[in-house]
Amino acid sequence: MIKISNAKRVTLFENYQNQIEIDPKLDRTLVSFQANKKENFYRWFKYKEGFSKRLVKYFLFKYHPSPGHILDPFAGVGSTLFAARELNWDTTGIELLPVGVFALESRIVSEAVNLDKFKQEIDSFKTNFHLVQNNIPKKISHISITKGAFSKETENYLNCFLNYCSNIYNDKIKRIFKFAAFSILEEISFTRKDGQYLRWDYRANKSWGKTKFNKGRIYPFIESINKKLIQLYQDLKFGNGNDLFTQFEDNKSHSKKLNILQGSSLKLMPKFNNDFFDFIMTSPPYCNRYDYTRTYALELIFLGYNDEQVKNLRQEMLSCTVENKEKIKILKNIYEKLNRTDVFNKVVSIYESNEAMQEVNNVLKLLNDRKLLNNSNIPRMVKNYFLEMAFIIFEMYRVLKKGGYSVMVNDNVRYGGQEIPVDLILSNFAVNFGFELEKIWTLPVGKGNSSQQMGNHGRSELRKCVYVWRKPE
Ligand SMILES: C[S@@+](CC[C@H](N)C(=O)[O-])C[C@H]1O[C@@H](n2cnc3c(N)ncnc32)[C@H](O)[C@@H]1O
């Protein structure tokens, strides 16, 4: 029997328990992409790791009803930015993966398209597009993890479609057509995005599949692309007709420019000015081993990324997969170049002096030494996840105006049976950097569950939370 202490985590819980509160209005659909499925524009590209536009508006109305400048350092497909812009906010986002950036920029391009011309192009596509069987110039180049993702026929269609797009004269329409194909890759393929991996349907005939997985209907290319093009056209034509918040919206909000930076927040945030943003709303990758570069591999190859480039993106991501190597030297370098070694030292020292953090690191090491974790790199991932998040939180504090709020969506995790209270540890870092912990809003949990407690017997459901931190005046 190994003796594992959770005393430091319990102490942290006791310190913050008065700020942990269930918000009955927060449900899984609001905090995930689910609620976007019925929202015009937001439903175009299914980014399963996204949150909903309603969540963004809910927190803006709650904490900062008048517009200002909002930052999302993990922008994904831009839910924060688009939702805030509808309320007349200035917006800045950072996103590492070209997947989110392509989706977001396509949406911006689509806003300026001539709708009549777009409709004509759709009609002309319906009559003029034909599948050519031979000598199709190849537009799709696979990487090892995507080979065989489409049937031969679907891949021919894709290549023909992309060739057809190259001949569309109007650049905006060309972009929207390409985006339409980008958005249907999953449903026309043998794969399903499944958190850590791409899951393969049995029809792909991959011999290594342990259990027979049936993803359901695999859509024919033509049916799927026609449906997507019509959806894009209709949403552009009818706008936000289904938005309950419409009465609050300023019709001129589209004149606001959406500012998106592609790259890593760890590198870009240190270059921002002090006390600049009025509000931060974000959801970093969770500490849950989800590998976006694998689940979005089809979209990455569609955008022309090769094996090497995909691996580089994986390493640049915030450490949330077991493959991520530590970035401490890179971070040191960034701060040295900016003549801010003091900041680097401060963040590392706050991380190292966090007792609950050290308890988690020690416990995971112990479990690993006894071979009780199902992957030996979990301790490295957890350690680096929190260290990198400490840098992000420091920067969030620095760039926020006094009196400004930061809202973060994240889930707690469990490894080797040990609960890692991501909400408490990150909030503790935030407080050490100067934030006030306003609230840890949690989602309502199943009946009779003790997720509000820490250190209780049994396996409680892990807290799913939205943390609100405030920079004092
Ligand atoms: C949970 S998702 C955010 C989704 C977003 N809220 C939305 O609704 O679309 C986290 C995002 O962080 C991005 N990301 C991961 N590491 C990053 C880094 N170092 N810098 C910037 N973005 C990063 C991922 O690509 C992913 O899109």
Side-chain angles (χ1 to χ4, degrees), residues 33 36 47 49-52 56 72-80 94-98 100 261 263-268 281-286 292 313 316-320 327 388 392 409:
F33 177 79
N36 277 349
Y47 202 51
E49 294 71 18
F51 49 48
S52 71
V56 178
D72 184 348
F74 299 97
V77 292
S79 318
T80 299
I94 305 175
E95 171 56 42
L96 178 71
L97 289 189
L261 307 169
S264 171
S265 289
L266 290 165
K267 292 183 177 160
L268 295 172
M281 170 115 199
T282 196
S283 168
Y286 297 173
Y292 296 68
L313 283 173
E316 278 237 53
M317 279 190 63
L318 202 84
S319 289
C320 58
K327 303 185 182 62
E388 291 160 30
I392 296 287
V409 179

mmCIF file of all heavy atoms in Angstrom, residues 33 36 47 49-52 56 72-80 94-98 100 261 263-268 281-286 292 313 316-320 327 388 392 409, ligand 1:
data_model
loop_
_atom_site.group_PDB
_atom_site.id
_atom_site.type_symbol
_atom_site.label_atom_id
_atom_site.label_comp_id
_atom_site.label_asym_id
_atom_site.label_seq_id
_atom_site.Cartn_x
_atom_site.Cartn_y
_atom_site.Cartn_z
ATOM 1 N N PHE A 33 -19.384 23.230 -27.253
ATOM 2 C CA PHE A 33 -19.777 23.691 -28.577
ATOM 3 C C PHE A 33 -21.264 23.463 -28.859
ATOM 4 O O PHE A 33 -21.866 24.130 -29.710
ATOM 5 C CB PHE A 33 -18.921 22.954 -29.625
ATOM 6 C CG PHE A 33 -19.272 23.292 -31.035
ATOM 7 C CD1 PHE A 33 -18.821 24.471 -31.610
ATOM 8 C CD2 PHE A 33 -20.075 22.456 -31.787
ATOM 9 C CE1 PHE A 33 -19.151 24.797 -32.909
ATOM 10 C CE2 PHE A 33 -20.411 22.777 -33.089
ATOM 11 C CZ PHE A 33 -19.951 23.947 -33.650
ATOM 12 N N ASN A 36 -23.782 25.953 -29.862
ATOM 13 C CA ASN A 36 -23.521 26.659 -31.127
ATOM 14 C C ASN A 36 -24.118 25.950 -32.331
ATOM 15 O O ASN A 36 -24.195 26.527 -33.411
ATOM 16 C CB ASN A 36 -22.000 26.789 -31.359
ATOM 17 C CG ASN A 36 -21.420 27.975 -30.602
ATOM 18 O OD1 ASN A 36 -22.151 28.806 -30.079
ATOM 19 N ND2 ASN A 36 -20.111 28.041 -30.535
ATOM 20 N N TYR A 47 -16.191 22.876 -34.045
ATOM 21 C CA TYR A 47 -14.964 22.844 -33.242
ATOM 22 C C TYR A 47 -15.360 22.335 -31.869
ATOM 23 O O TYR A 47 -15.825 23.103 -31.021
ATOM 24 C CB TYR A 47 -14.363 24.253 -33.163
ATOM 25 C CG TYR A 47 -12.887 24.280 -32.845
ATOM 26 C CD1 TYR A 47 -11.985 23.510 -33.586
ATOM 27 C CD2 TYR A 47 -12.367 25.056 -31.815
ATOM 28 C CE1 TYR A 47 -10.628 23.533 -33.311
ATOM 29 C CE2 TYR A 47 -11.004 25.083 -31.542
ATOM 30 C CZ TYR A 47 -10.154 24.327 -32.296
ATOM 31 O OH TYR A 47 -8.799 24.348 -32.032
ATOM 32 N N GLU A 49 -14.023 21.562 -29.277
ATOM 33 C CA GLU A 49 -13.386 22.071 -28.054
ATOM 34 C C GLU A 49 -13.803 23.509 -27.768
ATOM 35 O O GLU A 49 -13.346 24.109 -26.804
ATOM 36 C CB GLU A 49 -11.860 22.005 -28.180
ATOM 37 C CG GLU A 49 -11.298 20.600 -28.259
ATOM 38 C CD GLU A 49 -11.617 19.902 -29.593
ATOM 39 O OE1 GLU A 49 -11.961 20.601 -30.573
ATOM 40 O OE2 GLU A 49 -11.544 18.663 -29.632
ATOM 41 N N GLY A 50 -14.678 24.055 -28.605
ATOM 42 C CA GLY A 50 -15.085 25.447 -28.418
ATOM 43 C C GLY A 50 -16.153 25.592 -27.337
ATOM 44 O O GLY A 50 -16.752 24.612 -26.904
ATOM 45 N N PHE A 51 -16.379 26.834 -26.913
ATOM 46 C CA PHE A 51 -17.542 27.081 -26.064
ATOM 47 C C PHE A 51 -18.550 27.900 -26.863
ATOM 48 O O PHE A 51 -18.294 28.249 -28.014
ATOM 49 C CB PHE A 51 -17.197 27.692 -24.711
ATOM 50 C CG PHE A 51 -16.276 28.897 -24.709
ATOM 51 C CD1 PHE A 51 -16.487 29.968 -25.546
ATOM 52 C CD2 PHE A 51 -15.207 28.969 -23.811
ATOM 53 C CE1 PHE A 51 -15.659 31.077 -25.519
ATOM 54 C CE2 PHE A 51 -14.370 30.074 -23.782
ATOM 55 C CZ PHE A 51 -14.594 31.124 -24.634
ATOM 56 N N SER A 52 -19.704 28.191 -26.240
ATOM 57 C CA SER A 52 -20.776 28.771 -27.049
ATOM 58 C C SER A 52 -20.773 30.298 -26.991
ATOM 59 O O SER A 52 -20.278 30.907 -26.046
ATOM 60 C CB SER A 52 -22.127 28.253 -26.557
ATOM 61 O OG SER A 52 -22.410 28.821 -25.305
ATOM 62 N N VAL A 56 -20.334 33.370 -23.724
ATOM 63 C CA VAL A 56 -19.575 34.621 -23.765
ATOM 64 C C VAL A 56 -20.497 35.788 -23.404
ATOM 65 O O VAL A 56 -20.178 36.617 -22.542
ATOM 66 C CB VAL A 56 -18.965 34.840 -25.181
ATOM 67 C CG1 VAL A 56 -18.219 36.160 -25.249
ATOM 68 C CG2 VAL A 56 -18.074 33.672 -25.577
ATOM 69 N N ASP A 72 -8.867 37.074 -26.061
ATOM 70 C CA ASP A 72 -8.921 35.633 -25.854
ATOM 71 C C ASP A 72 -7.597 35.034 -26.317
ATOM 72 O O ASP A 72 -7.331 34.936 -27.514
ATOM 73 C CB ASP A 72 -10.089 34.990 -26.625
ATOM 74 C CG ASP A 72 -10.198 33.499 -26.317
ATOM 75 O OD1 ASP A 72 -9.257 32.950 -25.713
ATOM 76 O OD2 ASP A 72 -11.221 32.874 -26.670
ATOM 77 N N PRO A 73 -6.725 34.645 -25.362
ATOM 78 C CA PRO A 73 -5.409 34.127 -25.757
ATOM 79 C C PRO A 73 -5.427 32.699 -26.307
ATOM 80 O O PRO A 73 -4.395 32.205 -26.756
ATOM 81 C CB PRO A 73 -4.592 34.199 -24.456
ATOM 82 C CG PRO A 73 -5.566 34.312 -23.354
ATOM 83 C CD PRO A 73 -6.868 34.813 -23.907
ATOM 84 N N PHE A 74 -6.574 32.029 -26.250
ATOM 85 C CA PHE A 74 -6.704 30.687 -26.850
ATOM 86 C C PHE A 74 -7.992 30.717 -27.683
ATOM 87 O O PHE A 74 -9.010 30.122 -27.320
ATOM 88 C CB PHE A 74 -6.776 29.610 -25.761
ATOM 89 C CG PHE A 74 -5.535 29.582 -24.893
ATOM 90 C CD1 PHE A 74 -5.496 30.228 -23.665
ATOM 91 C CD2 PHE A 74 -4.387 28.922 -25.326
ATOM 92 C CE1 PHE A 74 -4.344 30.223 -22.887
ATOM 93 C CE2 PHE A 74 -3.237 28.907 -24.562
ATOM 94 C CZ PHE A 74 -3.217 29.560 -23.337
ATOM 95 N N ALA A 75 -7.936 31.415 -28.794
ATOM 96 C CA ALA A 75 -9.171 31.857 -29.464
ATOM 97 C C ALA A 75 -9.927 30.764 -30.202
ATOM 98 O O ALA A 75 -11.100 30.938 -30.505
ATOM 99 C CB ALA A 75 -8.854 32.999 -30.418
ATOM 100 N N GLY A 76 -9.277 29.639 -30.544
ATOM 101 C CA GLY A 76 -9.968 28.583 -31.281
ATOM 102 C C GLY A 76 -10.565 29.131 -32.568
ATOM 103 O O GLY A 76 -9.874 29.773 -33.369
ATOM 104 N N VAL A 77 -11.880 28.919 -32.759
ATOM 105 C CA VAL A 77 -12.537 29.438 -33.965
ATOM 106 C C VAL A 77 -13.139 30.828 -33.718
ATOM 107 O O VAL A 77 -13.897 31.335 -34.542
ATOM 108 C CB VAL A 77 -13.618 28.466 -34.482
ATOM 109 C CG1 VAL A 77 -12.989 27.187 -35.001
ATOM 110 C CG2 VAL A 77 -14.643 28.154 -33.401
ATOM 111 N N GLY A 78 -12.835 31.397 -32.566
ATOM 112 C CA GLY A 78 -13.181 32.800 -32.338
ATOM 113 C C GLY A 78 -14.539 33.048 -31.694
ATOM 114 O O GLY A 78 -15.089 34.138 -31.844
ATOM 115 N N SER A 79 -15.057 32.078 -30.926
ATOM 116 C CA SER A 79 -16.384 32.285 -30.311
ATOM 117 C C SER A 79 -16.393 33.546 -29.443
ATOM 118 O O SER A 79 -17.348 34.331 -29.507
ATOM 119 C CB SER A 79 -16.767 31.084 -29.438
ATOM 120 O OG SER A 79 -16.412 29.901 -30.079
ATOM 121 N N THR A 80 -15.339 33.738 -28.642
ATOM 122 C CA THR A 80 -15.286 34.945 -27.801
ATOM 123 C C THR A 80 -15.314 36.193 -28.669
ATOM 124 O O THR A 80 -16.068 37.138 -28.409
ATOM 125 C CB THR A 80 -13.970 34.979 -26.976
ATOM 126 O OG1 THR A 80 -13.937 33.851 -26.130
ATOM 127 C CG2 THR A 80 -13.847 36.252 -26.171
ATOM 128 N N ILE A 94 -5.588 35.257 -29.854
ATOM 129 C CA ILE A 94 -4.368 34.551 -30.265
ATOM 130 C C ILE A 94 -4.759 33.091 -30.447
ATOM 131 O O ILE A 94 -5.468 32.522 -29.606
ATOM 132 C CB ILE A 94 -3.270 34.632 -29.186
ATOM 133 C CG1 ILE A 94 -2.969 36.080 -28.810
ATOM 134 C CG2 ILE A 94 -1.994 33.925 -29.674
ATOM 135 C CD1 ILE A 94 -1.978 36.228 -27.657
ATOM 136 N N GLU A 95 -4.332 32.499 -31.534
ATOM 137 C CA GLU A 95 -4.598 31.078 -31.750
ATOM 138 C C GLU A 95 -3.394 30.458 -32.448
ATOM 139 O O GLU A 95 -2.893 31.003 -33.426
ATOM 140 C CB GLU A 95 -5.890 30.879 -32.568
ATOM 141 C CG GLU A 95 -6.172 29.468 -33.034
ATOM 142 C CD GLU A 95 -6.218 28.395 -31.926
ATOM 143 O OE1 GLU A 95 -6.794 28.631 -30.842
ATOM 144 O OE2 GLU A 95 -5.648 27.315 -32.154
ATOM 145 N N LEU A 96 -2.975 29.338 -31.914
ATOM 146 C CA LEU A 96 -1.791 28.683 -32.469
ATOM 147 C C LEU A 96 -2.095 27.896 -33.737
ATOM 148 O O LEU A 96 -1.349 27.952 -34.713
ATOM 149 C CB LEU A 96 -1.217 27.719 -31.403
ATOM 150 C CG LEU A 96 -0.001 26.929 -31.844
ATOM 151 C CD1 LEU A 96 1.214 27.826 -31.965
ATOM 152 C CD2 LEU A 96 0.278 25.792 -30.898
ATOM 153 N N LEU A 97 -3.199 27.164 -33.720
ATOM 154 C CA LEU A 97 -3.430 26.234 -34.819
ATOM 155 C C LEU A 97 -4.062 26.919 -36.030
ATOM 156 O O LEU A 97 -5.028 27.679 -35.891
ATOM 157 C CB LEU A 97 -4.322 25.075 -34.380
ATOM 158 C CG LEU A 97 -3.697 24.067 -33.426
ATOM 159 C CD1 LEU A 97 -4.613 22.869 -33.251
ATOM 160 C CD2 LEU A 97 -2.327 23.593 -33.900
ATOM 161 N N PRO A 98 -3.531 26.603 -37.214
ATOM 162 C CA PRO A 98 -4.095 27.197 -38.437
ATOM 163 C C PRO A 98 -5.545 26.772 -38.672
ATOM 164 O O PRO A 98 -6.245 27.421 -39.447
ATOM 165 C CB PRO A 98 -3.190 26.650 -39.549
ATOM 166 C CG PRO A 98 -2.443 25.526 -38.953
ATOM 167 C CD PRO A 98 -2.385 25.737 -37.476
ATOM 168 N N GLY A 100 -8.196 26.768 -36.471
ATOM 169 C CA GLY A 100 -9.085 27.803 -35.939
ATOM 170 C C GLY A 100 -8.937 29.091 -36.729
ATOM 171 O O GLY A 100 -9.928 29.747 -37.061
ATOM 172 N N LEU A 261 -4.211 37.021 -33.994
ATOM 173 C CA LEU A 261 -2.777 36.779 -34.165
ATOM 174 C C LEU A 261 -2.549 35.285 -34.165
ATOM 175 O O LEU A 261 -3.017 34.589 -33.257
ATOM 176 C CB LEU A 261 -1.989 37.406 -33.001
ATOM 177 C CG LEU A 261 -2.255 38.875 -32.736
ATOM 178 C CD1 LEU A 261 -1.632 39.313 -31.423
ATOM 179 C CD2 LEU A 261 -1.684 39.699 -33.880
ATOM 180 N N GLY A 263 -0.188 32.251 -33.546
ATOM 181 C CA GLY A 263 1.074 31.950 -32.867
ATOM 182 C C GLY A 263 0.781 31.489 -31.460
ATOM 183 O O GLY A 263 -0.372 31.249 -31.093
ATOM 184 N N SER A 264 1.846 31.370 -30.664
ATOM 185 C CA SER A 264 1.669 30.889 -29.296
ATOM 186 C C SER A 264 1.494 32.050 -28.325
ATOM 187 O O SER A 264 2.267 33.020 -28.351
ATOM 188 C CB SER A 264 2.883 30.066 -28.876
ATOM 189 O OG SER A 264 2.793 29.794 -27.504
ATOM 190 N N SER A 265 0.525 31.921 -27.448
ATOM 191 C CA SER A 265 0.306 32.953 -26.421
ATOM 192 C C SER A 265 1.522 33.097 -25.521
ATOM 193 O O SER A 265 1.776 34.177 -24.997
ATOM 194 C CB SER A 265 -0.876 32.564 -25.551
ATOM 195 O OG SER A 265 -2.032 32.704 -26.285
ATOM 196 N N LEU A 266 2.223 31.994 -25.333
ATOM 197 C CA LEU A 266 3.407 32.067 -24.466
ATOM 198 C C LEU A 266 4.435 33.036 -25.048
ATOM 199 O O LEU A 266 5.170 33.685 -24.315
ATOM 200 C CB LEU A 266 4.043 30.677 -24.324
ATOM 201 C CG LEU A 266 3.244 29.668 -23.509
ATOM 202 C CD1 LEU A 266 3.761 28.252 -23.720
ATOM 203 C CD2 LEU A 266 3.285 30.018 -22.019
ATOM 204 N N LYS A 267 4.446 33.142 -26.365
ATOM 205 C CA LYS A 267 5.410 34.037 -27.021
ATOM 206 C C LYS A 267 4.832 35.420 -27.282
ATOM 207 O O LYS A 267 5.554 36.408 -27.233
ATOM 208 C CB LYS A 267 5.840 33.445 -28.372
ATOM 209 C CG LYS A 267 6.656 32.183 -28.215
ATOM 210 C CD LYS A 267 7.127 31.670 -29.559
ATOM 211 C CE LYS A 267 7.995 30.440 -29.353
ATOM 212 N NZ LYS A 267 8.106 29.632 -30.562
ATOM 213 N N LEU A 268 3.530 35.471 -27.581
ATOM 214 C CA LEU A 268 2.950 36.762 -28.010
ATOM 215 C C LEU A 268 2.483 37.639 -26.844
ATOM 216 O O LEU A 268 2.620 38.858 -26.894
ATOM 217 C CB LEU A 268 1.793 36.519 -28.987
ATOM 218 C CG LEU A 268 2.210 35.871 -30.316
ATOM 219 C CD1 LEU A 268 1.002 35.490 -31.157
ATOM 220 C CD2 LEU A 268 3.093 36.846 -31.114
ATOM 221 N N MET A 281 -11.686 36.623 -21.814
ATOM 222 C CA MET A 281 -12.554 35.440 -21.725
ATOM 223 C C MET A 281 -11.876 34.359 -22.543
ATOM 224 O O MET A 281 -11.598 34.540 -23.732
ATOM 225 C CB MET A 281 -13.935 35.760 -22.279
ATOM 226 C CG MET A 281 -14.819 34.542 -22.445
ATOM 227 S SD MET A 281 -16.237 34.599 -21.355
ATOM 228 C CE MET A 281 -16.722 32.876 -21.336
ATOM 229 N N THR A 282 -11.586 33.226 -21.904
ATOM 230 C CA THR A 282 -10.810 32.221 -22.607
ATOM 231 C C THR A 282 -11.023 30.819 -22.074
ATOM 232 O O THR A 282 -11.573 30.631 -20.976
ATOM 233 C CB THR A 282 -9.302 32.581 -22.530
ATOM 234 O OG1 THR A 282 -8.592 31.834 -23.515
ATOM 235 C CG2 THR A 282 -8.700 32.304 -21.166
ATOM 236 N N SER A 283 -10.592 29.856 -22.864
ATOM 237 C CA SER A 283 -10.580 28.473 -22.428
ATOM 238 C C SER A 283 -9.309 27.852 -22.993
ATOM 239 O O SER A 283 -9.226 27.616 -24.197
ATOM 240 C CB SER A 283 -11.828 27.783 -22.982
ATOM 241 O OG SER A 283 -11.714 26.409 -22.807
ATOM 242 N N PRO A 284 -8.311 27.649 -22.131
ATOM 243 C CA PRO A 284 -7.069 27.056 -22.645
ATOM 244 C C PRO A 284 -7.316 25.576 -22.921
ATOM 245 O O PRO A 284 -8.347 25.033 -22.527
ATOM 246 C CB PRO A 284 -6.107 27.233 -21.463
ATOM 247 C CG PRO A 284 -6.968 27.261 -20.258
ATOM 248 C CD PRO A 284 -8.283 27.847 -20.672
ATOM 249 N N PRO A 285 -6.368 24.892 -23.595
ATOM 250 C CA PRO A 285 -6.524 23.446 -23.674
ATOM 251 C C PRO A 285 -6.595 22.909 -22.245
ATOM 252 O O PRO A 285 -6.010 23.496 -21.340
ATOM 253 C CB PRO A 285 -5.211 22.992 -24.328
ATOM 254 C CG PRO A 285 -4.648 24.202 -24.987
ATOM 255 C CD PRO A 285 -5.133 25.383 -24.217
ATOM 256 N N TYR A 286 -7.356 21.860 -22.041
ATOM 257 C CA TYR A 286 -7.429 21.276 -20.697
ATOM 258 C C TYR A 286 -6.231 20.344 -20.495
ATOM 259 O O TYR A 286 -5.607 19.906 -21.472
ATOM 260 C CB TYR A 286 -8.721 20.457 -20.523
ATOM 261 C CG TYR A 286 -9.996 21.270 -20.644
ATOM 262 C CD1 TYR A 286 -11.231 20.641 -20.657
ATOM 263 C CD2 TYR A 286 -9.969 22.656 -20.736
ATOM 264 C CE1 TYR A 286 -12.419 21.360 -20.771
ATOM 265 C CE2 TYR A 286 -11.149 23.385 -20.858
ATOM 266 C CZ TYR A 286 -12.362 22.740 -20.884
ATOM 267 O OH TYR A 286 -13.522 23.456 -21.002
ATOM 268 N N TYR A 292 -5.019 18.110 -30.269
ATOM 269 C CA TYR A 292 -5.718 18.776 -31.374
ATOM 270 C C TYR A 292 -5.015 18.521 -32.706
ATOM 271 O O TYR A 292 -5.645 18.542 -33.751
ATOM 272 C CB TYR A 292 -5.743 20.289 -31.157
ATOM 273 C CG TYR A 292 -6.519 20.776 -29.954
ATOM 274 C CD1 TYR A 292 -6.098 20.517 -28.652
ATOM 275 C CD2 TYR A 292 -7.658 21.554 -30.126
ATOM 276 C CE1 TYR A 292 -6.792 20.999 -27.566
ATOM 277 C CE2 TYR A 292 -8.363 22.048 -29.039
ATOM 278 C CZ TYR A 292 -7.916 21.763 -27.760
ATOM 279 O OH TYR A 292 -8.602 22.244 -26.685
ATOM 280 N N LEU A 313 3.812 21.944 -34.595
ATOM 281 C CA LEU A 313 2.651 22.588 -33.963
ATOM 282 C C LEU A 313 2.334 21.899 -32.638
ATOM 283 O O LEU A 313 2.016 22.546 -31.637
ATOM 284 C CB LEU A 313 1.426 22.497 -34.884
ATOM 285 C CG LEU A 313 1.377 23.455 -36.069
ATOM 286 C CD1 LEU A 313 0.205 23.117 -36.967
ATOM 287 C CD2 LEU A 313 1.261 24.910 -35.594
ATOM 288 N N GLU A 316 4.501 23.122 -29.997
ATOM 289 C CA GLU A 316 4.249 24.531 -29.630
ATOM 290 C C GLU A 316 3.011 24.687 -28.767
ATOM 291 O O GLU A 316 2.830 25.690 -28.091
ATOM 292 C CB GLU A 316 4.075 25.364 -30.903
ATOM 293 C CG GLU A 316 5.402 25.763 -31.511
ATOM 294 C CD GLU A 316 5.521 27.269 -31.642
ATOM 295 O OE1 GLU A 316 5.336 27.983 -30.648
ATOM 296 O OE2 GLU A 316 5.773 27.725 -32.769
ATOM 297 N N MET A 317 2.115 23.702 -28.851
ATOM 298 C CA MET A 317 0.877 23.814 -28.066
ATOM 299 C C MET A 317 1.192 23.848 -26.576
ATOM 300 O O MET A 317 2.190 23.282 -26.140
ATOM 301 C CB MET A 317 -0.029 22.615 -28.330
ATOM 302 C CG MET A 317 -0.811 22.761 -29.594
ATOM 303 S SD MET A 317 -2.067 21.503 -29.744
ATOM 304 C CE MET A 317 -3.128 21.831 -28.372
ATOM 305 N N LEU A 318 0.317 24.459 -25.820
ATOM 306 C CA LEU A 318 0.432 24.382 -24.376
ATOM 307 C C LEU A 318 0.510 22.890 -24.020
ATOM 308 O O LEU A 318 -0.206 22.084 -24.616
ATOM 309 C CB LEU A 318 -0.841 24.982 -23.785
ATOM 310 C CG LEU A 318 -0.724 25.458 -22.370
ATOM 311 C CD1 LEU A 318 -0.141 26.863 -22.345
ATOM 312 C CD2 LEU A 318 -2.093 25.498 -21.720
ATOM 313 N N SER A 319 1.361 22.519 -23.071
ATOM 314 C CA SER A 319 1.577 21.088 -22.791
ATOM 315 C C SER A 319 0.296 20.405 -22.320
ATOM 316 O O SER A 319 -0.088 20.528 -21.152
ATOM 317 C CB SER A 319 2.634 20.924 -21.707
ATOM 318 O OG SER A 319 3.881 21.256 -22.214
ATOM 319 N N CYS A 320 -0.367 19.736 -23.243
ATOM 320 C CA CYS A 320 -1.602 19.057 -22.863
ATOM 321 C C CYS A 320 -1.636 17.652 -23.446
ATOM 322 O O CYS A 320 -2.634 16.965 -23.365
ATOM 323 C CB CYS A 320 -2.819 19.863 -23.295
ATOM 324 S SG CYS A 320 -2.854 20.169 -25.062
ATOM 325 N N LYS A 327 9.152 23.483 -22.064
ATOM 326 C CA LYS A 327 9.461 24.702 -22.819
ATOM 327 C C LYS A 327 10.204 25.718 -21.958
ATOM 328 O O LYS A 327 10.270 26.893 -22.315
ATOM 329 C CB LYS A 327 8.157 25.362 -23.309
ATOM 330 C CG LYS A 327 7.262 24.491 -24.165
ATOM 331 C CD LYS A 327 6.077 25.289 -24.670
ATOM 332 C CE LYS A 327 5.102 24.489 -25.482
ATOM 333 N NZ LYS A 327 4.449 23.381 -24.781
ATOM 334 N N GLU A 388 3.404 26.343 -17.591
ATOM 335 C CA GLU A 388 3.087 27.225 -18.724
ATOM 336 C C GLU A 388 1.853 28.076 -18.414
ATOM 337 O O GLU A 388 1.805 29.262 -18.748
ATOM 338 C CB GLU A 388 2.880 26.390 -20.002
ATOM 339 C CG GLU A 388 4.184 25.765 -20.486
ATOM 340 C CD GLU A 388 3.992 24.572 -21.419
ATOM 341 O OE1 GLU A 388 2.986 24.531 -22.144
ATOM 342 O OE2 GLU A 388 4.862 23.675 -21.403
ATOM 343 N N ILE A 392 1.047 32.183 -18.466
ATOM 344 C CA ILE A 392 -0.127 32.783 -19.121
ATOM 345 C C ILE A 392 -0.901 33.644 -18.115
ATOM 346 O O ILE A 392 -1.310 34.775 -18.418
ATOM 347 C CB ILE A 392 -1.056 31.668 -19.688
ATOM 348 C CG1 ILE A 392 -0.363 30.870 -20.796
ATOM 349 C CG2 ILE A 392 -2.398 32.229 -20.142
ATOM 350 C CD1 ILE A 392 -0.194 31.592 -22.115
ATOM 351 N N VAL A 409 -12.620 29.087 -18.684
ATOM 352 C CA VAL A 409 -13.353 27.816 -18.642
ATOM 353 C C VAL A 409 -12.322 26.687 -18.642
ATOM 354 O O VAL A 409 -11.424 26.670 -19.481
ATOM 355 C CB VAL A 409 -14.249 27.678 -19.894
ATOM 356 C CG1 VAL A 409 -15.002 26.350 -19.872
ATOM 357 C CG2 VAL A 409 -15.214 28.843 -20.004
HETATM 358 C C1 LIG B 1 -10.337 24.854 -25.566
HETATM 359 S S1 LIG B 1 -9.804 25.469 -27.111
HETATM 360 C C2 LIG B 1 -10.512 27.064 -27.164
HETATM 361 C C3 LIG B 1 -11.726 27.101 -28.047
HETATM 362 C C4 LIG B 1 -12.378 28.469 -28.134
HETATM 363 N N1 LIG B 1 -12.884 28.917 -26.838
HETATM 364 C C5 LIG B 1 -13.543 28.421 -29.135
HETATM 365 O O1 LIG B 1 -14.704 28.556 -28.702
HETATM 366 O O2 LIG B 1 -13.306 28.183 -30.303
HETATM 367 C C6 LIG B 1 -8.102 25.840 -26.784
HETATM 368 C C7 LIG B 1 -7.380 26.445 -27.965
HETATM 369 O O3 LIG B 1 -6.050 26.789 -27.586
HETATM 370 C C8 LIG B 1 -5.214 26.634 -28.721
HETATM 371 N N2 LIG B 1 -3.819 26.603 -28.238
HETATM 372 C C9 LIG B 1 -3.132 25.583 -27.702
HETATM 373 N N3 LIG B 1 -1.906 25.965 -27.348
HETATM 374 C C10 LIG B 1 -1.810 27.279 -27.663
HETATM 375 C C11 LIG B 1 -0.800 28.255 -27.511
HETATM 376 N N4 LIG B 1 0.373 27.956 -26.982
HETATM 377 N N5 LIG B 1 -1.069 29.512 -27.903
HETATM 378 C C12 LIG B 1 -2.274 29.854 -28.436
HETATM 379 N N6 LIG B 1 -3.257 28.960 -28.624
HETATM 380 C C13 LIG B 1 -3.039 27.687 -28.228
HETATM 381 C C14 LIG B 1 -5.727 25.337 -29.324
HETATM 382 O O4 LIG B 1 -5.339 25.216 -30.667
HETATM 383 C C15 LIG B 1 -7.225 25.481 -29.146
HETATM 384 O O5 LIG B 1 -7.817 26.055 -30.271
#
